[in-house]
Amino acid sequence: LQLQRCLQFVPVMGTVKSQYFSKEGDPQRLGEEFFNQPCISLAIPCLCCKVLVRRSADGTELRGRVVETEAYLGGEDKASHSAGGKCTERNTAMFMKPGTIYVYPIYGIYLCINVSSQGEGAAVLLRALEPLNGLPLMKQLRTTRRREGARPLKDKELCNGPSKLCQALDIPRCFDRRDLASDPEVWLERDTQIGPQEPGLSEVVSARRIGIDSHGEWTKPLRFYLHGHRCVSVVNKQAETQIHSLQTVILLEILLFWVALI
């Protein structure tokens, strides 16, 4: 029964239902219903024609297409900040309604942005974006955080990592606990710029998450990225030998997750 409930949220490839979009304001903006789905199925649709938008105080909008994510499944996931179901001042956003932004610091100076999903303490980490709009400002924001004399950044390097994309889009810590479905400064929207599918980008790679090798069985493949995309943070050659279509990966990962809980 749990598996059936989970699978009913698996998106159908092709035309996206309008119920996922905000009925107020920008019709391209993703509304609450889009985020209200299980963690794994949210992590993979984020790869498919979704764009993170950051609007600055002067009205400038920076845009990047999501090309890589990681799923953190809540209390059972030993690699998650919510492992054991423990809610703290730091990770409260992970326990809030789906679509809540969770921003946390790493190494004391960098930030990462996540989006909560269905499931207590579950959230999706945005790992990499393909820069679309506002690249000059993105480069400026990234350059101010680099050492003097460092080589110029290539476009593909602007957002090819979770902290890099936070720098490039000027995502501050105070965005923590905001609602991605209604916030006026940051949101996800449907990609209106996508053209004919590029060769090699129609498939998704399911690989181990980055930096959690010490978490035993939870080194399972819960990182998802577009095969062959130049903006992916880390390529896993071994995982790429078993690439699947987006819909197949969703079904396989959700099935494996629920089987493990039985």
Side-chain angles (χ1 to χ4, degrees), residues 66-245:
V66 181
V67 298
E68 181 181 359
T69 61
E70 287 182 350
Y72 288 86
L73 307 182
E76 296 86 4
D77 188 341
K78 294 181 180 179
S80 174
H81 288 180
S82 59
K86 186 176 182 180
C87 180
T88 65
E89 177 64 23
R90 180 196 192 195
N91 71 4
T92 295
M94 300 182 78
F95 294 85
M96 295 173 68
K97 73 171 187 174
T100 300
I101 299 171
Y102 173 40
V103 179
Y104 65 87
I106 57 173
Y107 307 121
I109 54 175
Y110 301 116
L111 298 174
C112 295
I113 182 172
N114 303 251
V115 185
S116 67
S117 67
Q118 277 187 6
E120 188 172 359
V124 175
L125 170 67
L126 303 185
R127 275 204 62 89
L129 307 176
E130 175 191 355
L132 297 177
N133 298 107
L135 273 70
L137 180 54
M138 289 185 188
K139 289 181 179 179
Q140 179 182 337
L141 290 166
R142 284 291 319 281
T143 300
T144 57
R145 301 291 298 273
R146 306 182 79 215
R147 69 179 185 278
E148 186 176 352
R151 65 170 178 78
L153 289 167
K154 298 178 181 178
D155 290 353
K156 68 178 182 179
E157 297 173 322
L158 292 175
C159 303
N160 64 336
S163 295
K164 293 177 182 179
L165 71 87
C166 282
Q167 290 178 9
L169 271 67
D170 194 23
I171 304 292
R173 180 74 187 278
C174 65
F175 276 19
D176 185 52
R177 305 186 193 181
R178 289 195 183 188
D179 184 359
L180 201 56
S182 62
D183 196 271
E185 296 182 87
V186 62
W187 63 88
L188 272 177
E189 66 182 24
R190 181 176 55 176
D191 185 4
T192 59
Q193 298 185 24
I194 195 164
Q197 191 74 8
E198 296 181 44
L201 299 188
S202 61
E203 296 168 305
V204 64
V205 179
S206 176
R208 288 185 175 187
R209 294 172 292 187
I210 303 298
I212 60 168
D213 292 341
S214 62
H215 290 83
E217 64 174 312
W218 285 100
T219 57
K220 56 185 60 177
L222 292 172
R223 179 168 69 100
F224 309 101
Y225 66 86
L226 293 182
H227 179 236
H229 202 290
R230 63 193 181 95
C231 295
V232 168
S233 65
V234 180
V235 172
N236 187 316
K237 292 294 186 181
Q238 181 177 358
E240 289 185 357
T241 63
Q242 299 179 340
I243 54 178
H244 305 281
S245 69

